[in-house]
Amino acid sequence: MKNDISQTILFRYADHLKNINTASTEQEVLDILAARDAVQTLLAEQEGSEHFGTLLTEINKLDQQLRTQGELVAAKVDLPAIRTGRCPDDTAWWWYFEPAQKKSAWDRLDWLWNSIMAGALALTVSFMMQIFQALSVGGLSWGETFATIAQGGGLALVGSGALTDSGKNRVSQVLANLGIKGIYLAESLCAIALILLAIVYTGHTMLPDYFYKQGESFYEKSNLTGAALKFEQGIQINPDDARFNLSLGKVHESIGNLDASLVQYKIAAGAGDPWGLNNLGRVLLFWVDPNLLKRKLDLAESYLRMALQRAETLAADKGALSDQKQSDLVDLLYQTNRNLGWALLEQKKYKDAESYLRNAISWDKQITHDQIGGGMAYCLLSEAYRHTEQAVLADKNWKKCVKKARPETIFEYKWFMEKGNSADQIYTTSIVDGITEEEFKDFLTKKAQATQSNKKYISNTAPETKEEAQ
């Protein structure tokens, strides 16, 4: 008997469900919900019986059908009003269906905002990785660490708000506190992602110039360790910027690490940079091929001639250059003429060397600032004159050399040491960190005064007779 009653209740529930559609009336929908109430009563009565499992399976199948019609039920019946009068238990889920949310015009564009946000986040991550890699060279300062954490926190906020339910709830709450409706969640996350991208991109764009200026400042102060660090950071964030390869190559060259400087200069020369060609040729003046056990002076000359040709091409149209670019060009013309003259001098082509070295001096006179490597052409020209037996001109230029030369690398200073006893008068703080130029000149003055005093002392105390001398 009980089994028959159970089947009748289930059949009525199934029959009502079968007929539900958009044309159903409110009463027909209420009949379904009432039938489901009867099913719930039946479940309570049959719990523990031998057919309970089978009954539960059949009811579950019917409930799945009802759940698919939840929005239709909520549309046909004023469920909140009925719940107020009937007070169903919280477990009676069929009385708690919600109507379908109407999508606004903005909601229909959520896919667009989400797509833009995803692209912005991808770019932000890419830029942040490059920034982090650059800052991590040599270790992070507290300021750099804070900036990295702040960027990562913003990225985590946007990412969690877009990808997780809990994140969406937190972001929605924040928006609500700001007076922004929750329906604008996608738009808000997109805006935050774009702002974060703008901040990171601005930093990514400005950092190369910042690193370069810091590195150049360290280099001019002969802080080679600090300079190398900044140039390496610049390469990490912008590996296509040849100026960092040039500058890092100069640092290595300054301390005699020619193999490392060749690597950096070749990268710059490969990009067609005239400074790269010039510096590569300059290093080859000293670098010894480990296979041939000799210098490649002819190759050095070839690179330097290419550098000079490109510099002269730029000079032909220098009117279109800024003042700073024109100043750099004059320095380039000085360097290329000087180094080419040096290459010819090393190959004993003295007359040819004289011509380029005189050109270098004429360009050097146009350089108003006290540039590193300046004045060296006088030294080389003096050597060329000495080999062509022009002693007066050799001596004249050597005096100017001692006064004006600022060797840029340890090899340039070594060249002085090989040419006589004037090396100790050459200003060398361009090579390694040390005293200022004023202190160096003051030191030379005091040394000269001490030497004169010593000579007078020796003269005044010299023995007057052979007996005193003995």
Side-chain angles (χ1 to χ4, degrees):
M1 182 69 178
K2 287 185 179 180
N3 192 42
D4 293 338
I5 295 174
S6 299
Q7 291 301 318
T8 300
I9 293 173
L10 287 178
F11 177 79
R12 186 174 59 181
Y13 180 35
D15 187 55
H16 284 309
L17 273 176
K18 181 176 63 175
N19 296 322
I20 188 173
N21 55 61
T22 55
S24 298
T25 64
E26 179 181 7
Q27 186 58 52
E28 289 172 336
V29 174
L30 284 172
D31 289 342
I32 295 174
L33 300 180
R36 183 60 183 83
D37 283 341
V39 168
Q40 189 68 18
T41 302
L42 176 65
L43 273 175
E45 293 174 351
Q46 294 291 321
E47 187 171 359
S49 67
E50 63 177 308
H51 302 293
F52 184 75
T54 303
L55 179 63
L56 194 60
T57 302
E58 293 180 9
I59 293 173
N60 184 57
K61 290 179 181 180
L62 295 173
D63 283 346
Q64 292 299 326
Q65 295 180 42
L66 178 58
R67 284 190 174 93
T68 62
Q69 300 295 335
E71 291 182 354
L72 177 61
V73 171
K76 294 289 184 176
V77 180
D78 187 359
L79 292 177
I82 293 178
R83 287 198 300 269
T84 301
R86 192 174 183 280
C87 300
D89 190 85
D90 291 342
T91 59
W93 48 265
W94 51 94
W95 291 104
Y96 290 89
F97 286 126
E98 295 290 338
Q101 294 290 330
K102 293 182 179 180
K103 288 192 174 182
S104 66
W106 284 107
D107 290 332
R108 296 190 187 98
L109 294 176
D110 281 355
W111 65 271
L112 176 61
W113 310 128
N114 290 333
S115 298
I116 295 175
M117 179 187 64
L121 290 179
L123 287 173
T124 301
V125 170
S126 177
F127 290 135
M128 283 183 61
M129 287 300 296
Q130 287 186 318
I131 292 174
F132 179 76
Q133 289 172 354
L135 294 178
S136 62
V137 175
L140 293 172
S141 66
W142 72 266
E144 293 167 341
T145 302
F146 176 78
T148 302
I149 292 174
Q151 292 174 354
L155 189 64
L157 172 66
V158 178
S160 65
L163 301 176
T164 67
D165 291 335
S166 59
K168 289 180 180 178
N169 291 334
R170 285 195 298 270
V171 174
S172 296
Q173 185 61 46
V174 172
L175 295 178
N177 293 336
L178 296 174
I180 301 174
K181 295 181 179 179
I183 59 173
Y184 299 118
L185 175 63
E187 293 87 337
S188 300
L189 288 173
C190 180
I192 295 172
L194 290 174
I195 292 172
L196 184 61
L197 173 61
I199 294 172
V200 174
Y201 176 76
T202 300
H204 186 275
T205 303
M206 296 176 63
L207 276 176
D209 286 337
Y210 172 75
F211 288 144
Y212 183 75
K213 289 177 181 178
Q214 275 203 319
E216 285 293 292
S217 177
F218 283 138
Y219 185 75
E220 290 173 2
K221 296 174 182 177
S222 303
N223 182 352
L224 301 185
T225 302
L229 173 62
K230 293 303 172 184
F231 295 142
E232 286 171 356
Q233 288 179 325
I235 289 175
Q236 285 292 329
I237 200 168
N238 193 355
D240 296 326
D241 194 337
R243 61 181 175 167
F244 290 113
N245 301 107
L246 284 170
S247 299
L248 186 56
K250 282 197 303 182
V251 172
H252 290 308
E253 184 185 359
S254 295
I255 57 177
N257 190 354
L258 297 188
D259 289 331
S261 64
L262 277 175
V263 171
Q264 299 300 328
Y265 288 154
K266 283 180 179 178
I267 294 174
D273 189 285
W275 277 107
L277 294 166
N278 171 76
N279 294 3
L280 183 57
R282 183 177 65 195
V283 168
L284 289 172
L285 292 175
F286 305 102
W287 183 72
V288 177
D289 190 319
N291 297 317
L292 301 176
L293 297 179
K294 65 177 184 180
R295 293 181 293 170
K296 290 187 173 182
L297 297 175
D298 54 342
L299 183 59
E301 181 185 347
S302 298
Y303 279 119
L304 291 167
R305 287 191 182 279
M306 283 192 289
L308 180 58
Q309 182 185 40
R310 298 199 177 194
E312 289 175 339
T313 300
L314 292 172
D317 192 31
K318 72 174 185 177
L321 301 176
S322 64
D323 292 342
Q324 181 60 48
K325 292 287 185 181
Q326 290 188 29
S327 176
D328 293 341
L329 178 58
V330 171
D331 194 17
L332 175 62
L333 287 164
Y334 160 69
Q335 295 281 353
T336 49
N337 277 283
R338 186 204 74 168
N339 293 332
L340 181 54
W342 200 342
L344 295 169
L345 181 63
E346 292 296 320
Q347 296 177 78
K348 301 181 180 180
K349 300 175 183 178
Y350 303 119
K351 286 295 183 182
D352 291 338
E354 286 179 21
S355 175
Y356 288 105
L357 291 171
R358 283 195 296 269
N359 286 341
I361 289 173
S362 68
W363 287 113
D364 196 12
K365 290 178 179 178
Q366 297 183 40
I367 300 174
T368 56
H369 62 280
D370 191 18
Q371 88 277 25
I372 299 175
M376 286 289 296
Y378 290 106
C379 314
L380 298 167
L381 185 57
S382 172
E383 183 69 6
Y385 282 141
R386 188 177 68 79
H387 282 287
T388 55
E389 299 181 353
Q390 301 180 70
V392 175
L393 289 174
D395 183 62
K396 179 182 177 181
N397 280 277
W398 185 257
K399 289 178 180 178
K400 292 181 179 179
C401 160
V402 172
K403 181 181 179 181
K404 298 183 177 183
R406 294 186 67 198
E408 187 171 6
T409 70
I410 197 71
F411 287 96
E412 291 178 4
Y413 185 65
K414 181 182 177 183
W415 184 87
F416 283 102
M417 295 176 63
E418 294 172 349
K419 299 306 172 185
N421 59 0
S422 301
D424 61 341
Q425 299 179 44
I426 301 298
Y427 181 57
T428 61
T429 58
S430 304
I431 305 173
V432 293
D433 197 8
I435 61 176
T436 65
E437 185 163 6
E438 290 72 20
E439 291 172 333
F440 179 78
K441 291 178 179 178
D442 183 58
F443 167 76
L444 290 181
T445 301
K446 290 180 180 179
K447 180 180 178 182
Q449 292 173 348
T451 301
Q452 287 296 112
S453 298
N454 191 42
K455 287 181 179 179
K456 290 180 181 180
Y457 173 78
I458 293 174
S459 175
N460 293 334
T461 58
E464 297 181 359
T465 66
K466 290 184 179 179
E467 290 76 9
E468 289 177 344
Q470 290 174 349

